[in-house]
Every structure is written in structure tokens, then in C-alpha cells.
Amino acid sequence: MEEAPPDHIARHHQMFPVLDAAEIARVRRFGEPKIFADGARLVTAGLPVAGMHVILRGQISIVQRDGLGRTVPIVREGPGSFVADVGALSGRTSMVDAVAEGEVEALLVPPAQLRALIIAEADLGERIVRALILRRAALIKQEGSGPVLIGCPESTEILRLQNFLRRNGQPHHVLDGRNDADAAVLMHEY
């Protein structure tokens, strides 16, 4: 009996689907094309999201930053891919940075138009929504963005703050000053 691949590998195609030419044509009526120069940010962590970007030409890099400025690469995307998570439906803040690698042409679908697309194009909308939800859930599970809690992970105060953030669906992470040099410096300073 063949062993099933790990969940994150099995779901990768659902988290990062690539739209074909016909699907992009269906999305086009809901958005407008934008050009981004090399190094430009399509989305910036901590800032409101303008909507969903469908990459038409070029490539982007998606990275996650923690509260100490460290970055972790998530994925590189090209034509047919889209940049968004479930926060794009309401213009919430981004949890990641999406940076153009060279000139990029993308179709920007603002939140209201994205909601209209999901209703009008139900089958395509279902694939998009599944990806948006899976992406947000994976980012929250990673605990690589959002507030940085510095202290002993077993302490009552840290556990209480973590519980509050989890109940409210807020990504966060804990740095232990005993094991993390950056956290130790901050604990010493403050």
C-alpha cells in the first residue's frame, strides 16, 4: 500500500492553483491590468490588501516577515497564479509580502469585484476561495507573522496571550529569550 504524501504537499495544488487562459479570460471582466516594476510590492505585510492579483506576465516572490524583520520564502509564482488570501475578500491586511521579480503584469480584482466573481463564476470561485482559505490557515499555523510574543513559552502570561490570539484567528509567534539571540537582546533592553 502506497503511503499518502504529507498534507502540505497534497494540498499544494489546491493552495496554489494555476489558472489557464480560459479561466483568466473569465476573471478579466472583474479586474483591471496593472504593471509593477522590478522590486515593487504587489502586497505588503501589515497593510490593507487591494484585492487579488492574477499574474499575467512575469514572476513574483511571496515571503513572510516576522516581527523582527526576518523573512521566510513561501513560494514563487508566475503566469496564471494569483496572489491573495481570504483577507482579500474584505480588504484586510496582508500577512505576506509579494514582490515583483522583474517587470510584472497582473490583473487586480478589488474586494467587491472578487466577491462578485465568486458568485458569478461559481466553479472557478470555489477553487479560488479554497485556495484563499488554505493559504490563510497555513500562514496562521506557521506562526511566522503577526505579533511577536517574547518570553518563556510555558509562562502563564505567554499562554494567556497565545490563547487570546488563537481564539481571534490572529497569527503570532513566540520567541524564547533563552534560545533566541534576538529575543534575548529585546528582553534585556525592555
Side-chain angles (χ1 to χ4, degrees):
M1 181 177 213
E2 192 173 310
E3 189 174 316
D7 192 45
H8 70 281
I9 294 172
R11 291 194 176 247
H12 187 271
H13 72 281
Q14 292 178 338
M15 287 176 66
F16 302 103
V18 177
L19 305 179
D20 62 29
E23 291 168 326
I24 291 171
R26 291 165 59 191
V27 173
R28 244 182 226 285
R29 68 186 177 113
F30 296 93
E32 71 177 272
K34 302 273 186 188
I35 302 290
F36 297 90
D38 181 36
R41 290 181 194 242
L42 284 72
V43 295
T44 302
L47 296 179
V49 179
M52 178 178 78
H53 293 85
V54 178
I55 308 303
L56 301 174
R57 180 177 48 84
Q59 187 161 307
I60 55 117
S61 177
I62 299 176
V63 298
Q64 187 173 30
R65 280 186 284 145
D66 69 15
L68 299 173
R70 298 178 286 205
T71 60
V72 176
I74 296 175
V75 69
R76 293 175 80 200
E77 298 275 34
S81 301
F82 55 90
V83 179
D85 73 19
V86 76
L89 292 167
S90 60
R92 291 181 57 189
T93 58
S94 177
M95 295 174 59
V96 297
D97 295 329
V99 182
E101 294 182 349
E103 186 176 87
V104 169
E105 182 181 4
L107 189 63
L108 173 60
V109 183
Q113 290 299 100
L114 180 54
R115 292 188 301 271
L117 163 68
I118 290 165
I119 293 167
E121 300 287 344
D123 60 323
L124 180 56
E126 183 181 330
R127 280 184 59 213
I128 291 171
V129 169
R130 180 181 300 116
L132 300 182
I133 292 169
L134 289 172
R135 290 173 185 185
R136 175 64 67 130
L139 289 170
I140 290 171
K141 186 176 180 181
Q142 262 181 257
E143 298 184 344
S145 63
V148 178
L149 306 177
I150 299 174
C152 177
E154 299 85 22
S155 76
T156 305
E157 295 84 7
I158 294 292
L159 292 171
R160 185 172 36 84
L161 288 169
Q162 279 189 290
N163 188 34
F164 172 79
L165 292 168
R166 280 192 193 113
R167 281 193 327 261
N168 288 286
Q170 293 298 313
H172 64 281
H173 63 284
V174 177
L175 295 178
D176 188 341
R178 300 170 299 186
N179 305 326
D180 187 292
D182 293 331
V185 169
L186 287 171
M187 285 179 69
H188 179 72
E189 283 183 37
Y190 300 101

